[in-house]
Amino acid sequence: MKIRIEKNENFGSEPEVIIRCRDVDERVHHILSLLEEPKKRVIGYANHQEYVLDPADILYCESVDGIVFIYMQDNVYRTAYTLNDIENAFSNLGFFRCSKSMVINIYSIKKLKSELGNRIDAELSNREHIIISRHFAKDFRSILKEAGSL
Amino acid sequence: MNRLLKWCVWEMNNEFIACTYFTVMLLMYAIIDLVIGKNTITTAVIFEMYLVNYLLSIVQKVILDTQKDYSRRSFLLRAIIISLLSVILVVIVSTLGGWYKGMPLWAGILIIAMLLLSYLTVWIIISLSKKYDTKLLNDQLANFKRKQQN
C-alpha cells in the first residue's frame, strides 16, 4: 500500500483523505474505521471500579431514586450521567427515552408487542421486558417509521 | 378558561361515545321490533336509551381513562367491569322502562345477547388490530436495524 501525504498552504484547514483503490476491501474498511471520529464511551462504576463502556453494548439505562444505572448483557453499572445526557449523546446510536425513568437502546430490542392502552412491550436480547409508555410510544413509532422510509 | 375548555373537550368526547352506543342500541332494538312486527318505538324508550348510553359513556371514561397508562391486568379488569356494568345497567333500565312491553321474552333476551355480542366483537377487533400492529412494529424494527447498520 502506498501512502502519500501532500502538504500545501493553499489547501483548506480541514485535512482531506482520498483513498484510491480497485475494490473497497477489508483493508480499506479498516482504514475508514481508523479515520472515523473516535467512538464516544460511557464511564460506569461497579464494585468500586471504573469501567469504560461501549454504548453499543448497553441494553438500557434506568434511573432509580435519582441514580442512573446502565444495564448490559451480564452486568449493571452505576453512572454519573443523567438520562437526558445519555439520550442526547447517543440518540444517533439508537438510544431512545421509553419512559420517564428509562432510556432504551433500540438495537438491543429483540421483538416488540403492541399492548392495550397504546403501550409497547419491548423484549430485549437478554429476554427482559421493557414497557414503552403510551406517552413515548408515539415518538418511538415515528423513529421506526422514519428510519424505514429513508 | 382552560378548565372550561378541558371540560368542553371531555363532554364532546363523552357525547360522541354516547351517541355511537345509542345508535347501535337503537338499531338493534329497531331490527327486533321490525322482526316481531311491532313497528313502533316510543319516544320515552328512545330518551331512556340515550340517557343510559350517556351514563355508560361516563362510566367508561371514568373507569378507563385513555390518557392514563394501565398495566395489562388493570386494563383487562377495567374493561370487564365496564362490560358487566353496561349489561347490568341496560337490564335494569330496560326492565324499569318497559322496553320489552308487548314483545315476546326471546326478543328481550336477544337484545341483551346482541349487546354482549357487540362487546365481544369489539374485543375481537381490538385483539386482531393489536396482532397486526405487533407485526408492523417488528417489521419496522427490522427495517430500522438494517438501514441504520448499512
Side-chain angles (χ1 to χ4, degrees):
Chain A
M1 189 193 322
K2 283 186 202 167
I3 297 174
R4 199 171 74 187
I5 298 172
E6 283 181 30
K7 202 176 153 191
N8 192 321
E9 281 182 12
N10 296 329
F11 290 159
S13 58
E14 193 180 346
E16 184 183 16
V17 178
I18 299 168
I19 300 170
R20 292 200 179 92
C21 59
R22 192 170 288 166
D23 287 306
V24 180
D25 58 11
E26 207 169 304
R27 282 190 310 168
V28 177
H29 277 298
H30 183 65
I31 296 164
L32 287 173
S33 70
L34 291 172
L35 288 170
E36 275 172 2
E37 278 184 43
K39 276 187 178 178
K40 288 179 184 173
R41 301 281 169 178
V42 184
I43 307 292
Y45 305 91
N47 305 321
H48 307 290
Q49 281 190 312
E50 190 176 293
Y51 295 87
V52 180
L53 311 170
D54 185 349
D57 296 332
I58 296 172
L59 302 178
Y60 66 97
C61 304
E62 186 180 23
S63 172
V64 182
D65 297 329
I67 301 165
V68 176
F69 293 94
I70 294 170
Y71 292 82
M72 313 266 283
Q73 198 75 32
D74 51 1
N75 222 336
V76 180
Y77 301 89
R78 192 168 49 80
T79 184
Y81 299 105
T82 64
L83 287 180
N84 277 342
D85 293 338
I86 294 169
E87 186 193 4
N88 293 335
F90 306 118
S91 59
N92 57 336
L93 294 175
F95 280 66
F96 170 76
R97 186 70 166 257
C98 64
S99 69
K100 277 181 189 171
S101 60
M102 271 189 198
V103 170
I104 193 170
N105 180 358
I106 299 177
Y107 290 102
S108 73
I109 300 173
K110 202 173 146 194
K111 59 183 174 186
L112 295 164
K113 191 179 173 209
S114 177
E115 286 285 348
L116 292 166
N118 209 14
R119 299 172 317 144
I120 299 168
D121 178 353
E123 188 184 327
L124 306 183
S125 52
N126 65 346
R127 290 179 180 261
E128 257 190 84
H129 288 258
I130 300 284
I131 294 291
I132 300 170
S133 68
R134 54 167 280 134
H135 182 72
F136 296 92
K138 201 177 164 189
D139 289 338
F140 182 69
R141 285 173 191 274
S142 44
I143 286 173
L144 292 186
K145 211 172 171 183
E146 270 172 36
S149 62
L150 282 175
Chain B
M1 189 64 193
N2 201 19
R3 281 182 73 181
L4 181 71
L5 201 71
K6 263 187 172 178
W7 180 82
C8 283
V9 172
W10 191 90
E11 181 56 23
M12 274 170 67
N13 193 250
N14 190 33
E15 284 184 29
F16 176 76
I17 296 170
C19 285
T20 309
Y21 289 169
F22 167 66
T23 311
V24 173
M25 191 180 274
L26 188 65
L27 182 73
M28 285 177 190
Y29 191 88
I31 290 168
I32 292 170
D33 210 47
L34 274 172
V35 169
I36 63 167
K38 200 174 143 207
N39 294 344
T40 50
I41 301 171
T42 63
T43 45
V45 168
I46 294 172
F47 184 63
E48 283 162 11
M49 271 186 189
Y50 181 74
L51 281 184
V52 79
N53 282 302
Y54 186 80
L55 205 64
L56 286 179
S57 175
I58 291 173
V59 166
Q60 183 182 312
K61 281 184 80 68
V62 169
I63 296 179
L64 202 64
D65 187 348
T66 51
Q67 298 302 310
K68 283 184 184 169
D69 266 332
Y70 297 110
S71 67
R72 187 182 166 81
R73 200 179 158 206
S74 170
F75 192 96
L76 283 172
L77 192 71
R78 283 162 194 273
I80 290 166
I81 290 169
I82 290 169
S83 305
L84 287 175
L85 268 179
S86 307
V87 173
I88 291 165
L89 209 65
V90 170
V91 168
I92 292 169
V93 175
S94 62
T95 311
L96 291 176
W99 295 6
Y100 315 115
K101 260 182 199 168
M103 276 188 179
L105 182 66
W106 65 262
I109 294 168
L110 191 63
I111 290 173
I112 302 296
M114 281 170 84
L115 187 70
L116 281 170
L117 194 71
S118 60
Y119 272 116
L120 192 69
T121 312
V122 167
W123 288 115
I124 289 169
I125 290 168
I126 289 173
S127 170
L128 287 175
S129 70
K130 289 286 155 201
K131 273 187 185 168
Y132 173 76
D133 194 35
T134 298
K135 191 187 173 304
L136 188 73
L137 278 170
N138 282 305
D139 288 347
Q140 285 177 337
L141 177 69
N143 232 358
F144 175 88
K145 287 182 179 176
R146 201 171 42 243
K147 295 226 169 168
Q148 296 288 320
Q149 275 162 359
N150 287 342

